[in-house]
mmCIF file of all heavy atoms in Angstrom:
data_model
loop_
_atom_site.group_PDB
_atom_site.id
_atom_site.type_symbol
_atom_site.label_atom_id
_atom_site.label_comp_id
_atom_site.label_asym_id
_atom_site.label_seq_id
_atom_site.Cartn_x
_atom_site.Cartn_y
_atom_site.Cartn_z
ATOM 1 N N ASP A 52 -1.757 23.853 30.551
ATOM 2 C CA ASP A 52 -2.412 24.621 29.495
ATOM 3 C C ASP A 52 -1.749 24.304 28.159
ATOM 4 O O ASP A 52 -0.614 23.835 28.108
ATOM 5 C CB ASP A 52 -2.312 26.118 29.799
ATOM 6 C CG ASP A 52 -0.870 26.612 29.822
ATOM 7 O OD1 ASP A 52 -0.027 25.950 30.464
ATOM 8 O OD2 ASP A 52 -0.585 27.644 29.212
ATOM 9 N N GLY A 53 -2.438 24.580 27.111
ATOM 10 C CA GLY A 53 -1.951 24.303 25.771
ATOM 11 C C GLY A 53 -3.142 24.223 24.843
ATOM 12 O O GLY A 53 -3.848 23.220 24.853
ATOM 13 N N PRO A 54 -3.405 25.275 24.049
ATOM 14 C CA PRO A 54 -4.571 25.266 23.173
ATOM 15 C C PRO A 54 -4.390 24.328 21.985
ATOM 16 O O PRO A 54 -3.261 24.054 21.563
ATOM 17 C CB PRO A 54 -4.686 26.720 22.711
ATOM 18 C CG PRO A 54 -3.316 27.295 22.881
ATOM 19 C CD PRO A 54 -2.696 26.568 24.028
ATOM 20 N N PRO A 55 -5.480 23.817 21.433
ATOM 21 C CA PRO A 55 -5.383 22.860 20.329
ATOM 22 C C PRO A 55 -4.827 23.445 19.038
ATOM 23 O O PRO A 55 -4.378 22.692 18.169
ATOM 24 C CB PRO A 55 -6.838 22.408 20.136
ATOM 25 C CG PRO A 55 -7.665 23.492 20.720
ATOM 26 C CD PRO A 55 -6.865 24.046 21.854
ATOM 27 N N ASP A 56 -4.834 24.767 18.922
ATOM 28 C CA ASP A 56 -4.318 25.394 17.702
ATOM 29 C C ASP A 56 -2.962 26.066 17.926
ATOM 30 O O ASP A 56 -2.528 26.888 17.128
ATOM 31 C CB ASP A 56 -5.322 26.400 17.161
ATOM 32 C CG ASP A 56 -5.648 27.503 18.168
ATOM 33 O OD1 ASP A 56 -5.231 27.386 19.339
ATOM 34 O OD2 ASP A 56 -6.330 28.478 17.778
ATOM 35 N N ALA A 57 -2.269 25.706 19.013
ATOM 36 C CA ALA A 57 -0.975 26.323 19.306
ATOM 37 C C ALA A 57 0.064 25.937 18.262
ATOM 38 O O ALA A 57 0.057 24.822 17.728
ATOM 39 C CB ALA A 57 -0.500 25.898 20.693
ATOM 40 N N ASP A 58 0.988 26.875 17.987
ATOM 41 C CA ASP A 58 2.079 26.550 17.079
ATOM 42 C C ASP A 58 3.263 26.007 17.865
ATOM 43 O O ASP A 58 3.200 25.842 19.085
ATOM 44 C CB ASP A 58 2.467 27.753 16.213
ATOM 45 C CG ASP A 58 3.046 28.911 17.029
ATOM 46 O OD1 ASP A 58 3.478 28.702 18.190
ATOM 47 O OD2 ASP A 58 3.083 30.042 16.500
ATOM 48 N N ILE A 59 4.353 25.749 17.181
ATOM 49 C CA ILE A 59 5.505 25.088 17.797
ATOM 50 C C ILE A 59 6.192 25.969 18.835
ATOM 51 O O ILE A 59 6.964 25.490 19.670
ATOM 52 C CB ILE A 59 6.524 24.655 16.710
ATOM 53 C CG1 ILE A 59 7.490 23.599 17.257
ATOM 54 C CG2 ILE A 59 7.273 25.865 16.159
ATOM 55 C CD1 ILE A 59 6.825 22.285 17.582
ATOM 56 N N ASN A 60 5.901 27.276 18.836
ATOM 57 C CA ASN A 60 6.549 28.190 19.765
ATOM 58 C C ASN A 60 5.776 28.364 21.068
ATOM 59 O O ASN A 60 6.296 28.997 21.997
ATOM 60 C CB ASN A 60 6.741 29.558 19.105
ATOM 61 C CG ASN A 60 7.740 29.503 17.970
ATOM 62 O OD1 ASN A 60 8.848 28.999 18.138
ATOM 63 N ND2 ASN A 60 7.348 29.994 16.802
ATOM 64 N N TYR A 61 4.581 27.817 21.154
ATOM 65 C CA TYR A 61 3.783 28.018 22.358
ATOM 66 C C TYR A 61 4.481 27.421 23.577
ATOM 67 O O TYR A 61 4.850 26.252 23.593
ATOM 68 C CB TYR A 61 2.404 27.379 22.211
ATOM 69 C CG TYR A 61 1.532 27.627 23.419
ATOM 70 C CD1 TYR A 61 0.826 28.814 23.545
ATOM 71 C CD2 TYR A 61 1.468 26.715 24.463
ATOM 72 C CE1 TYR A 61 0.050 29.073 24.667
ATOM 73 C CE2 TYR A 61 0.694 26.958 25.596
ATOM 74 C CZ TYR A 61 -0.006 28.138 25.687
ATOM 75 O OH TYR A 61 -0.752 28.391 26.813
ATOM 76 N N GLY A 62 4.654 28.249 24.598
ATOM 77 C CA GLY A 62 5.253 27.777 25.844
ATOM 78 C C GLY A 62 6.748 27.595 25.807
ATOM 79 O O GLY A 62 7.329 27.046 26.750
ATOM 80 N N ARG A 63 7.397 28.061 24.732
ATOM 81 C CA ARG A 63 8.850 27.869 24.634
ATOM 82 C C ARG A 63 9.560 28.604 25.765
ATOM 83 O O ARG A 63 9.210 29.736 26.100
ATOM 84 C CB ARG A 63 9.364 28.348 23.273
ATOM 85 C CG ARG A 63 10.770 27.845 22.968
ATOM 86 C CD ARG A 63 11.209 28.261 21.580
ATOM 87 N NE ARG A 63 10.502 27.576 20.524
ATOM 88 C CZ ARG A 63 10.760 26.345 20.106
ATOM 89 N NH1 ARG A 63 11.703 25.637 20.706
ATOM 90 N NH2 ARG A 63 10.079 25.807 19.110
#
Side-chain angles (χ1 to χ4, degrees):
D52 63 313
D56 59 351
D58 65 18
I59 198 67
N60 293 309
Y61 183 83
R63 195 176 290 281

